[in-house]
Amino acid sequence: MSNNALIEVNLESLQHQIAKNFASQQASREKFKQVYLNTLAVYAVKNFLDWAEFETDLEAGDSWNSIIRRFNDVADLVIPDVGKLECRRVLPGETIISLPPEVTEDRIAYVLIGFNEHLNKVDLLGFVPSSDEQEMSEISRDSLQPIDDLIDYLQELEFQAFSEENTQTINSTTTSTQTNLSPIEKLKQWYSNLLETGWLDFQSNRELAFAVRGSASNDKMIKTEKIIDLGENQPVKLELKLTSQSTEETEATISVYPNGDSKILPTGLQVIILDEFGNTILEDVVKSGAKSIDFQIALEPNEHFSIKLILGDIIITENV
Amino acid sequence: MCDRDTKLYNILREIFSHTIGSIEAREPINKLLNLVPSLPGIRKKDPEIFNLALESLYRGLIGEISGYRIPNQDNPEIIRKQFVKFFNQIYRRRELDVRRGKNKTISLNEPSGRNQDSDSENTRLDNLADVTLSGLDALIEEEQLEKRKQQQEKMRIFMETELPNRLNQATNQNPQCTCYEIVKRHILQEPSQSLTKIAKEFNINYQTLYSHWQRTCKRELEKIGQEFERS
């Protein structure tokens, strides 16, 4: 369907400044222009989505990753929990827009942005939802859906994402109840997920069963750890012990120790345990000379939490 | 959290305890429509657009069009924030309808003649950039470009020698599938190989590979990029 309805979006000096900074890291004129215009294209869509009250996360995109944008032609914008939009630049006179292979995967839609001679404003020309059935290699301006409808499309996707998340929660709860997962099975699942996020594999390639220690009772425990860099040679070790006492509840012990040369934790280090909605459950501040700090919390099946470490300007959050 | 959050929460729960479109749901829906204007953060500057948005909300709740669905969430404040965001998105959509009329182009930044929600309008207009497409070449500094070419060569060597060690984090499904192997195929190779193909090649689940890439590899890559820029 052909669409002539445009939305004109202004671009601010600061956004141009960031585009120039990104572009200045490139080694050729062609790449300089590509990165400059890609950055503006992403900002144009972000400005529109801000106006329409959709949350976006610039830094989560490949286009904000200095190495990826150096090697790939990317202009993606992440909408948290929904997906990525690809914001493709359209130069004057272009009617067919080629898509490089690196942008044909994991996009929820392609938004075309028309550039004119003056770069203080651009036109949002329309969008094309991505298709699961076929990989797209080019977009014709004639195939665009009206840009106004992008709001409806994203709203629907937000709800779908929300429904899927709830369905998954319901399904996993149901499965857990139906199959009555043993404590060891639950911990194996959890452990496996933790390893995906950079926690150390304690059993060093041995069978997982070795990492899961049974006590005289039915309790099962696993232990894993992660080194956190707090800057200025102040690494700390975050240790996590998960003990499953029954099929209904798991106990987590979170400990922070010094790592490296120092035998004590950095004074003033703030450690906060947050629930899955970001509410503080427990918090403490390291006092002078402290060698460790510990917390214990009880968790329901499938309940997640976060550990936040704050030291001066450094804030690190680990999701568990 | 305020009383209105709890009131909204209870009304929404009541609406969704009935079948969508049923007579029983009408009464709580009317309560909701009366409550909406008083919710903190609700967009209502233009009465005409507000009424159109309210009508869209109503039509969605009675099942005439795709509409609001209550999240599986027990925190009234979170429910209110999510509801207000949803309503404001509808408001913006209806605003486009009203302003569109016969206008081919709508500017988000120019006064529409009917209302302006942006308080910082003038500031934003003052801060517009003055760069042209044909003037982009002038922004490229020759000296910098030469320096960058040398740096690009340094990076190429770094990629070949150092990166395999720095990006040795493997997925737990296949120890051969390290971040470096993914970066090599997905970023450095031309044309880029898709994550789907990489997952097949290493015989691992796509979601496992995708989350490993997003959570571990990309973060490390960004860290390396920043270190490289500083060097």
Side-chain angles (χ1 to χ4, degrees):
Chain A
M1 181 183 70
S2 181
N3 161 49
N4 289 317
L6 314 174
I7 290 180
E8 191 182 83
V9 181
N10 283 347
L11 292 163
E12 295 167 43
S13 292
L14 182 65
Q15 297 174 336
H16 272 267
Q17 193 54 52
I18 290 166
K20 192 185 168 193
N21 288 348
F22 287 179
S24 299
Q25 294 163 356
Q26 313 310 316
S28 70
R29 288 182 174 277
E30 191 190 13
K31 191 68 189 172
F32 178 98
K33 283 186 196 172
Q34 180 198 94
V35 169
Y36 197 107
L37 295 177
N38 279 350
T39 309
L40 292 187
V42 172
Y43 268 126
V45 177
K46 179 187 163 35
N47 290 352
F48 171 59
L49 293 182
D50 284 349
W51 178 85
E53 301 207 13
F54 286 92
E55 197 185 329
T56 56
D57 184 355
L58 281 175
E59 290 180 6
D62 290 352
S63 52
W64 248 247
N65 185 302
S66 60
I67 292 190
I68 299 178
R69 71 170 170 260
R70 188 187 284 261
F71 290 94
N72 287 351
D73 178 8
V74 284
D76 59 332
L77 177 62
V78 172
I79 303 175
D81 301 325
V82 176
K84 272 183 185 181
L85 287 173
E86 181 66 25
C87 316
R88 295 311 294 180
R89 61 191 185 278
V90 181
L91 296 176
E94 281 186 320
T95 51
I96 304 275
I97 290 77
S98 299
L99 300 174
E102 56 264 34
V103 306
T104 55
E105 197 173 33
D106 79 343
R107 297 325 195 238
I108 51 172
Y110 297 85
V111 184
L112 297 198
I113 294 92
F115 283 90
N116 299 305
E117 174 61 5
H118 287 278
L119 297 179
N120 59 354
K121 54 178 96 169
V122 291
D123 294 325
L124 304 189
L125 305 173
F127 77 104
V128 182
S130 67
S131 157
D132 286 340
E133 288 79 35
Q134 61 180 76
E135 208 170 81
M136 296 169 83
S137 58
E138 59 179 33
I139 297 172
S140 151
R141 282 185 67 163
D142 291 339
S143 66
L144 294 179
Q145 295 191 17
I147 190 66
D148 299 7
D149 292 350
L150 183 64
I151 295 179
D152 302 327
Y153 178 67
L154 294 179
Q155 251 193 346
E156 188 53 38
L157 287 184
E158 269 191 346
F159 271 117
Q160 276 176 22
F162 212 76
S163 309
E164 276 169 23
E165 196 178 293
N166 290 332
T167 310
Q168 278 171 12
T169 310
I170 293 162
N171 284 346
S172 50
T173 310
T174 314
T175 310
S176 177
T177 312
Q178 281 171 349
T179 58
N180 203 17
L181 278 184
S182 67
I184 196 167
E185 288 299 330
K186 274 202 313 171
L187 289 180
K188 274 184 180 181
Q189 271 187 2
W190 202 329
Y191 194 68
S192 173
N193 290 336
L194 283 176
L195 296 187
E196 281 298 317
T197 58
W199 288 80
L200 291 182
D201 187 348
F202 242 52
Q203 74 273 24
S204 310
N205 295 330
R206 282 181 289 155
E207 282 299 309
L208 182 60
F210 286 97
V212 184
R213 292 183 281 161
S215 66
S217 69
N218 286 329
D219 292 5
K220 303 288 172 190
M221 191 267 278
I222 60 163
K223 191 170 87 169
T224 181
E225 64 182 46
K226 197 171 195 178
I227 308 301
I228 308 286
D229 183 9
L230 294 170
E232 294 178 10
N233 296 321
Q234 296 185 99
V236 294
K237 185 171 78 177
L238 197 54
E239 188 187 81
L240 176 64
K241 279 186 217 158
L242 297 171
T243 311
S244 194
Q245 295 161 327
S246 68
T247 51
E248 296 307 317
E249 202 171 75
T250 298
E251 187 180 83
T253 307
I254 303 114
S255 308
V256 186
Y257 298 105
N259 194 66
D261 295 335
S262 177
K263 301 289 176 217
I264 54 168
L265 285 169
T267 306
L269 170 66
Q270 201 180 345
V271 185
I272 306 169
I273 312 298
L274 305 156
D275 68 16
E276 40 198 338
F277 308 112
N279 303 314
T280 299
I281 310 171
L282 294 167
E283 64 181 312
D284 208 346
V285 179
V286 172
K287 294 177 186 65
S288 174
K291 291 179 181 169
S292 69
I293 192 166
D294 298 286
F295 301 92
Q296 277 193 333
I297 53 171
L299 301 163
E300 300 282 326
N302 302 308
E303 188 180 358
H304 291 267
F305 65 96
S306 305
I307 307 160
K308 196 179 210 176
L309 302 173
I310 305 174
L311 184 65
D313 294 333
I314 298 172
I315 302 175
I316 289 166
T317 306
E318 287 296 332
N319 298 314
V320 180
Chain B
M1 193 173 79
C2 61
D3 287 347
R4 275 171 296 194
D5 295 355
T6 313
K7 198 170 171 187
L8 174 71
Y9 176 83
N10 291 333
I11 292 174
L12 288 173
R13 286 265 170 244
E14 194 184 343
I15 292 171
F16 286 94
S17 68
H18 302 297
T19 310
I20 291 177
S22 67
I23 300 290
E24 294 78 12
R26 296 289 167 108
E27 194 188 324
I29 288 175
N30 286 334
K31 279 190 212 164
L32 176 68
L33 299 181
N34 287 328
L35 181 69
V36 170
S38 68
L39 292 174
I42 216 85
R43 207 171 272 285
K44 57 185 176 188
K45 197 158 184 175
D46 186 309
E48 182 191 348
I49 297 169
F50 176 78
N51 286 333
L52 287 171
L54 210 57
E55 186 188 325
S56 295
L57 174 71
Y58 173 75
R59 291 179 61 207
L61 289 170
I62 62 167
E64 268 186 28
I65 54 171
S66 175
Y68 183 78
R69 279 158 265 173
I70 191 165
N72 186 11
Q73 167 65 255
D74 287 330
N75 184 326
E77 191 179 358
I78 294 175
I79 292 266
R80 189 252 304 159
K81 283 181 180 164
Q82 196 265 351
F83 177 84
V84 167
K85 188 176 136 196
F86 173 82
F87 184 86
N88 288 347
Q89 288 168 352
I90 302 179
Y91 181 99
R92 286 307 201 188
R93 181 67 182 86
R94 299 286 80 86
E95 182 178 341
L96 288 178
D97 287 344
V98 169
R99 287 177 64 186
R100 181 72 66 195
K102 287 178 185 170
N103 294 322
K104 182 184 158 194
T105 304
I106 291 176
S107 170
L108 293 189
N109 303 84
E110 281 172 14
S112 65
R114 18 178 335 110
N115 83 97
Q116 270 306 303
D117 281 336
S118 172
D119 296 332
S120 57
E121 191 64 27
N122 293 331
T123 320
R124 289 174 73 90
L125 290 174
D126 286 347
N127 285 333
L128 288 188
D130 187 24
V131 180
T132 58
L133 199 54
S134 53
L136 273 184
D137 271 331
L139 292 177
I140 308 169
E141 293 157 26
E142 282 302 330
E143 202 180 306
Q144 280 293 321
L145 210 56
E146 195 48 47
K147 203 174 136 194
R148 288 286 160 193
K149 272 181 195 156
Q150 291 167 6
Q151 210 173 13
Q152 183 86 349
E153 181 57 18
K154 251 173 71 186
M155 177 166 264
R156 195 186 59 76
I157 296 164
F158 176 79
M159 291 283 195
E160 286 170 5
T161 55
E162 294 294 317
L163 226 51
N165 295 328
R166 289 287 303 268
L167 293 172
N168 59 2
Q169 308 85 341
T171 58
N172 63 348
Q173 285 185 13
N174 184 342
Q176 303 299 315
C177 185
T178 62
C179 286
Y180 178 68
E181 292 300 328
I182 303 172
V183 167
K184 209 166 75 178
R185 289 162 175 75
H186 191 53
I187 305 296
L188 304 179
Q189 184 177 298
E190 249 185 272
S192 159
Q193 197 177 332
S194 70
L195 293 175
T196 313
K197 283 183 185 157
I198 298 171
K200 271 187 196 153
E201 187 183 328
F202 285 100
N203 196 25
I204 57 178
N205 177 283
Y206 171 80
Q207 277 306 333
T208 304
L209 180 85
Y210 187 78
S211 64
H212 184 64
W213 166 243
Q214 292 291 337
R215 290 174 183 172
T216 309
C217 309
K218 266 178 67 177
R219 282 182 196 171
E220 190 57 29
L221 204 56
E222 181 56 22
K223 223 189 277 177
I224 293 169
Q226 285 171 2
E227 282 170 26
F228 198 82
E229 287 302 325
R230 283 197 296 266
S231 67

